[in-house]
Amino acid sequence: MDSERAYIKARKRKARHLSLWFRKMQVFPVQKKIVFSTFEGDGGYCCNPRYIAEEILRRGWDCEMIWLTHDPTRKFPSGIRAVKDTPKNIAYHLSTAAVWIDNYRKPLGTIKRKGQLYIQTWHASMGFKAVGLFRGELFPEIAKIVSEHDSSLIDYVISNSDYCTSIYPKKLLYKGPVLQVGSPRCDCLINDKEKLRKLLRDRYNLPSYEGVVLYAPTFRGGIQKGKKQVAFEKIGLDISRVVETLQKKTSKHWTMMLRLHPQLSAFMKRMPSYVNGVSVIDVSQEDDMSQVLGAADLVITDYSSCAFDALFCNIPVILYADDVEVYKRSRGSFMWKKDELPFMISENNAQLQRCILDFNKDVYIAKKERFMKNHNVKEEGCSSVQVVDAIRKWIIEKSRNEL
């Protein structure tokens, strides 16, 4: 408890320092500027904000576009300027921007001015892991403080379903307006799947007929015992067994790609090219998960929300969760019961092999359709368009009110 209290005090001191920068920057006027950020600065040009930005670029809006990131050397398209997310830069650009778009919580101490628009896209649609108040006693006090502060600033949160909208009060500690338009990051998977499939294969010199299995273990860490931690667990997946089983089932060659969570990949920078003695292609440093998902013929994950993105776009998914009880002790209970999910689930390598051999895509698609209907999931490939339409409507109404 002492370490947690010390950590909270340190975070509050840091927040007061940031707030001072925000107050100083309020001498500058709000400009025609949109500021983006992802994964607390660990992310690059990725996730829901990326596809909203692409739609704005496509429309040719006359505005400045800034991306706050830990690493401004990351690649961004022409029209978007990457800026190092120092406290001074955060305060200046957020204080002078008309619109904020983020997939993660704003730093504690952020001050929003009257007349600014903040759209919180979040970094997952449906998910397995307990978040917010769903974590119960495992929800850290500092996380509650940050969540409440961020939610007090938000104008709209994006949702893809009745399910997500209904849980936001406990998940995000948010009770405000919701844009139930789908997930912008799924648009490319729905509209350009074949293009993405070829793009990543060309980048890694894989033939078009090569099977690609993507292994994407989820983030482990967060605020634990008063400290922010990022952890990489030893991979228990038998990669050679997975590849051999897929080759047996399909009579074609398969390659495994490994994708770590953005916050973990930023910490590790580079994975070895061999895991458990088997060659893998590390795609963890690819900025955008949707671009990677588009290349996959099969996704294996434990508790990553990418499983749902893949599901909505008809990409096969099998869950491999060999540390359920350990994970529950550190993160809390899961959001779903097993029989509510449309996925085949394995808890060891033998079960995973059986799932691969028994997988039937027609059965999978039928389960997907029932699941989407039951929860009124809306993923139609036009989410980015609808979000940008909402921003445009807000700008027009704001201009009228200022006349």
Side-chain angles (χ1 to χ4, degrees):
M1 289 299 293
D2 288 341
S3 62
E4 183 178 18
R5 281 195 292 268
Y7 181 75
I8 291 173
K9 284 183 179 180
R11 288 288 297 271
K12 287 184 174 180
R13 284 196 300 270
K14 187 176 180 181
R16 286 194 292 271
H17 176 71
L18 182 61
S19 292
L20 285 174
W21 275 116
F22 270 90
R23 292 189 179 95
K24 289 178 182 179
M25 298 305 174
Q26 288 181 356
V27 299
F28 299 103
V30 174
Q31 305 161 17
K32 290 195 294 184
K33 177 164 64 176
I34 303 175
V35 176
F36 302 82
S37 186
T38 54
F39 297 107
E40 297 181 314
D42 284 326
Y45 190 47
C46 68
C47 200
N48 291 311
R50 169 181 177 148
Y51 295 97
I52 296 169
E54 286 190 354
E55 177 60 20
I56 293 170
L57 289 171
R58 188 188 69 79
R59 298 190 190 192
W61 281 10
D62 178 23
C63 65
E64 185 180 13
M65 299 176 72
I66 299 293
W67 204 288
L68 296 171
T69 175
H70 294 344
D71 182 6
T73 65
R74 289 176 181 268
K75 291 184 179 179
F76 288 86
S78 175
I80 297 178
R81 180 160 65 96
V83 174
K84 174 72 174 177
D85 55 353
T86 63
K88 182 179 179 180
N89 287 341
I90 290 172
Y92 173 73
H93 286 293
L94 290 181
S95 292
T96 56
V99 181
W100 307 349
I101 298 173
D102 203 337
N103 79 341
Y104 229 90
R105 299 296 192 184
K106 290 297 185 194
L108 192 63
T110 298
I111 298 175
K112 184 180 164 202
R113 297 167 74 171
K114 184 179 179 180
Q116 292 181 308
L117 174 67
Y118 175 20
I119 295 180
Q120 171 59 259
T121 74
W122 204 237
H123 50 278
S125 54
M126 296 177 166
F128 302 100
K129 299 171 285 186
V131 178
L133 297 178
F134 288 105
R135 293 187 66 185
E137 294 181 354
L138 293 174
F139 188 38
E141 181 63 24
I142 186 61
K144 185 173 184 289
I145 292 169
V146 172
S147 297
E148 289 176 336
H149 174 260
D150 182 70
S151 290
S152 72
L153 306 175
I154 296 170
D155 294 288
Y156 294 106
V157 172
I158 292 175
S159 168
N160 77 338
S161 61
D162 288 350
Y163 168 81
C164 285
T165 300
S166 70
I167 66 172
Y168 281 163
K170 288 187 68 176
K171 177 180 178 179
L172 304 182
L173 281 66
Y174 175 77
K175 298 180 181 179
V178 173
L179 295 175
Q180 195 164 309
V181 297
S183 309
R185 70 184 192 178
C186 286
D187 289 351
C188 64
L189 292 169
I190 294 169
N191 301 323
D192 299 311
K193 176 72 167 63
E194 288 307 311
K195 179 181 176 181
L196 296 179
R197 191 176 190 277
K198 183 178 186 304
L199 188 67
L200 211 66
R201 278 169 169 72
D202 288 349
R203 190 174 304 164
Y204 292 97
N205 298 313
L206 297 175
S208 59
Y209 53 81
E210 181 89 356
V212 170
V213 51
L214 174 66
Y215 178 47
T218 194
F219 173 74
R220 284 166 169 75
I223 306 300
Q224 309 293 343
K225 298 181 180 179
K227 296 181 180 179
K228 185 171 182 179
Q229 300 175 353
V230 178
F232 177 67
E233 305 293 336
K234 182 179 179 181
I235 292 178
L237 184 77
D238 189 335
I239 294 174
S240 61
R241 190 172 183 177
V242 168
V243 171
E244 289 169 4
T245 303
L246 284 167
Q247 290 174 175
K248 177 181 177 182
K249 181 179 175 69
T250 63
S251 299
K252 69 177 182 180
H253 193 267
W254 283 73
T255 291
M256 175 166 284
M257 291 185 172
L258 174 65
R259 169 76 175 186
L260 302 179
H261 187 280
Q263 288 183 297
L264 182 53
S265 63
F267 174 76
M268 294 192 69
K269 291 298 181 184
R270 183 70 186 166
M271 275 294 294
S273 57
Y274 285 83
V275 178
N276 297 342
V278 180
S279 175
V280 298
I281 296 177
D282 175 26
V283 292
S284 301
Q285 299 306 321
E286 296 284 342
D287 271 347
D288 188 56
M289 180 55 158
S290 294
Q291 303 284 307
V292 175
L293 272 179
D297 298 299
L298 170 66
V299 175
I300 298 175
T301 185
D302 42 15
Y303 322 111
S304 171
S305 63
C306 75
F308 290 96
D309 290 359
L311 173 76
F312 302 146
C313 306
N314 295 333
I315 301 169
V317 176
I318 298 175
L319 303 184
Y320 173 75
D322 62 352
D323 64 345
V324 173
E325 294 306 317
V326 173
Y327 198 83
K328 284 167 66 175
R329 286 197 294 272
S330 65
R331 294 288 305 187
S333 59
F334 293 103
M335 298 296 292
W336 302 90
K337 296 177 181 178
K338 285 184 179 181
D339 58 4
E340 295 173 327
L341 293 167
F343 307 111
M344 299 179 79
I345 303 172
S346 57
E347 295 185 11
N348 56 55
N349 284 290
Q351 289 179 9
L352 177 59
Q353 182 179 35
R354 190 74 261 158
C355 287
I356 292 171
L357 292 172
D358 292 344
F359 183 84
N360 182 298
K361 192 164 185 179
D362 291 336
V363 173
Y364 177 72
I365 298 299
K367 287 182 178 180
K368 166 236 177 180
E369 297 294 343
R370 286 195 298 273
F371 183 84
M372 293 183 72
K373 182 178 180 180
N374 289 342
H375 300 288
N376 193 26
V377 177
K378 183 177 182 180
E379 294 291 0
E380 299 171 349
C382 57
S383 304
S384 304
V385 170
Q386 293 183 73
V387 173
V388 176
D389 283 346
I391 296 172
R392 181 175 180 275
K393 181 181 178 182
W394 176 87
I395 292 172
I396 291 171
E397 289 178 352
K398 182 174 182 289
S399 298
R400 287 174 181 165
N401 294 334
E402 291 175 351
L403 292 176

